[in-house]
């Protein structure tokens, strides 16, 4: 197992006209690490010709980036995307962990526009001036999300477009989500009432679409649960299934839903009116021994964690995790599932 540091935020993904081919430095850091693995894996018992790249959430976006980056060709032979894909985007109000957001990947023009605005906020009009700004000052300003920028040598085209056209590094892929991704975001202060839920829908989709979404996802007595379902289906699962279909036309893809709705919450506080379910990132303690989570495993959950580790390890060795198609993964309950139907994906293309 190799983990790596890479640049984040403005240091990893700032685009600016004065910085040629900028906007994806973080991905270049990862490629440098992968080249280090190629040179050194044999020294610690690894096989440089059998490397599996995997990540969750932002890490999953990075895996997508490497799948579609020409510079990553040949640096890995398997890929795992956990909760995040090339097509992932957020609604108009950008509600994601309380910060503005748009999409996991944005084009060069939008990226450079954001970079120019950032520079202007610091009194700069060129890259030389930006380099003189102390790092602490650059991170002191909350700039919201920092999407990966395409339209440069690292990502010549939009990753979603690269998948659709077949211009990607063709390796076997595991791709999946948690059953209730959006509940982590729904634990934010809003929506605690039906009125706040309706306000969020209107901000996200506009009045006309918001009405359609509310009919499909009524709040009832649980506005947080409804909002979590909207985010799970529209932001996370249905968009990633688009990527899975495009990948699956040209390479083996194994899809899953992590569905342990009794997963321990660990450090995350959930309000009393929101059952956590299988929230975003809830699968990670099952793959890693995370303090604060694992001590709360039941014997069945510990056995399930062992199953997941074996599946991920089997895939790393052979490119086959032990199932075909799409499966729902939960303690004592692993079965095939129609993810598009389960997450109402026929509704979202016309309403997102």
């Amino acid at each position: 197992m190799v983990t790596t540091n890479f640049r984040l935020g403005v240091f990893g993904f700032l685009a600016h006209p004065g910085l040629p081919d900028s906007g994806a430095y973080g991905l270049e850091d990862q490629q440098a690490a992968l080249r280090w693995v190629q040179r050194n894996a044999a020294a610690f018992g690894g096989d440089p010709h059998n490397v599996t790249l995997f990540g969750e959430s932002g890490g999953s976006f990075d895996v997508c980036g490497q799948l579609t980056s020409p510079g990553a060709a040949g640096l890995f032979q398997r890929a795992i995307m956990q909760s995040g894909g090339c097509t992932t985007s957020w609604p108009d109000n950008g509600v994601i962990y309380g910060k503005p957001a748009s999409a996991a990947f944005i084009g060069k023009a939008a990226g450079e526009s954001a970079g120019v605005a950032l520079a202007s906020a610091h009194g700069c009009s060129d890259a030389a001036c930006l380099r003189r700004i102390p790092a602490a000052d650059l991170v002191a300003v909350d700039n919201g999300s920092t999407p990966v920028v395409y339209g440069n040598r690292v990502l010549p085209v939009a990753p979603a477009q690269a998948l659709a056209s077949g211009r990607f590094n063709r390796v076997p892929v595991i791709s999946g989500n948690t059953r209730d991704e959006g509940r982590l975001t729904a634990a934010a202060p809003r929506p605690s009432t039906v009125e706040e839920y309706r306000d969020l829908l209107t901000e996200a989709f506009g009045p006309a679409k918001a009405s359609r979404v509310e009919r499909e996802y009524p709040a009832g007595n649980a506005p947080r649960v409804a909002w979590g379902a909207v985010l799970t289906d529209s932001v996370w699962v249905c968009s990633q299934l688009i990527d899975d279909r495009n990948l699956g036309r040209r390479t083996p893809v194994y899809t899953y839903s992590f569905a342990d709705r009794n997963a321990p919450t660990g450090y995350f506080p959930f309000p009393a009116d929101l059952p956590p379910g299988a929230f975003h990132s809830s699968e990670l303690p099952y793959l890693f021994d995370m303090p604060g989570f694992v001590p709360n495993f039941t014997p069945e959950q510990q056995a399930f964690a062992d199953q997941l580790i074996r599946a991920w390890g089997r895939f790393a060795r052979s490119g086959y995790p032990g199932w075909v198609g799409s499966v729902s993964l939960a303690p004592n309950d692993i079965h095939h599932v129609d993810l598009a139907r389960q997450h109402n994906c026929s509704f979202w293309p016309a309403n997102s």
Side-chain angles (χ1 to χ4, degrees):
M1 173 72 72
V2 177
T3 63
T4 179
N5 292 324
F6 56 94
R7 282 169 287 181
L8 298 170
V10 296
F11 306 109
F13 303 104
L14 173 73
H16 190 277
L19 299 169
D21 281 319
S22 56
Y25 294 133
L27 295 189
E28 293 186 88
D29 293 342
Q30 295 164 18
Q31 290 177 13
L34 286 166
R35 290 192 293 271
W36 182 93
V37 169
Q38 293 294 307
R39 296 192 302 271
N40 292 281
F44 54 87
D47 181 355
H49 304 295
N50 188 15
V51 175
T52 297
L53 181 67
F54 75 116
E56 186 268 346
S57 194
S60 190
F61 300 144
D62 293 337
V63 172
C64 162
Q66 302 300 357
L67 278 169
T68 58
S69 175
L75 295 180
F76 59 96
Q77 288 69 45
R78 327 253 189 257
I80 303 176
M81 298 193 299
Q82 298 172 217
S83 301
C86 300
T87 309
T88 305
S89 63
W90 288 268
D92 290 346
N93 60 346
V95 177
I96 178 73
Y97 310 123
K99 303 295 182 185
S102 55
F105 299 91
I106 60 173
K108 179 179 180 179
E112 289 187 346
S113 177
V116 168
L118 174 70
S120 178
H122 288 280
C124 289
S125 60
D126 56 32
C129 174
L130 270 176
R131 289 192 175 98
R132 293 193 292 270
I133 303 297
D137 292 349
L138 286 173
V139 298
V141 178
D142 185 353
N143 298 299
S145 67
T146 49
V148 184
V149 177
Y150 60 83
N152 46 50
R153 68 185 178 194
V154 183
L155 295 174
V157 300
Q161 180 185 343
L163 292 190
S165 63
R167 288 177 288 176
F168 63 88
N169 301 312
R170 298 183 186 181
V171 300
V173 176
I174 288 178
S175 174
N177 298 89
T178 66
R179 179 69 176 81
D180 306 294
E181 296 269 17
R183 292 196 187 180
L184 187 61
T185 305
R190 292 194 301 167
S192 61
T193 66
V194 173
E195 290 72 22
E196 288 178 342
Y197 175 60
R198 287 174 178 157
D199 288 344
L200 284 175
L201 292 180
T202 301
E203 291 170 11
F205 304 106
K209 291 181 180 179
S211 297
R212 294 197 292 271
V213 175
E214 186 178 5
R215 286 195 297 271
E216 198 73 16
Y217 294 80
N221 295 319
R224 290 189 198 275
V225 173
W227 180 235
V230 168
L231 295 177
T232 296
D233 297 352
S234 66
V235 171
W236 296 105
V237 179
C238 296
S239 64
Q240 196 159 338
L241 287 175
I242 294 172
D243 297 337
D244 297 342
R245 286 193 294 271
N246 287 328
L247 284 163
R249 293 188 180 105
R250 297 173 175 89
T251 197
V253 178
Y254 306 94
T255 55
Y256 73 89
S257 172
F258 175 85
D260 184 0
R261 286 178 147 169
N262 295 306
T265 56
Y267 313 120
F268 298 119
F270 281 83
D273 59 346
L274 179 65
F279 59 94
H280 183 73
S281 79
S282 58
E283 86 280 20
L284 293 181
Y286 293 76
L287 294 166
F288 301 94
D289 292 328
M290 294 176 65
F293 292 84
V294 174
N296 297 316
F297 278 171
T298 66
E300 292 78 11
Q301 287 172 324
Q302 184 60 66
F304 176 52
D306 295 341
Q307 283 182 292
L308 289 185
I309 291 169
R310 285 196 298 270
W312 264 232
R314 185 185 300 115
F315 178 76
R317 287 191 301 273
S318 68
Y320 172 64
W323 73 81
V324 295
S326 300
V327 292
S328 174
L329 302 170
N332 298 322
D333 186 14
I334 296 176
H335 60 270
H336 283 93
V337 63
D338 183 338
L339 292 173
R341 176 175 294 182
Q342 183 180 76
H343 291 278
N344 202 19
C345 293
S346 62
F347 173 78
W348 283 108
N351 293 278
S352 58

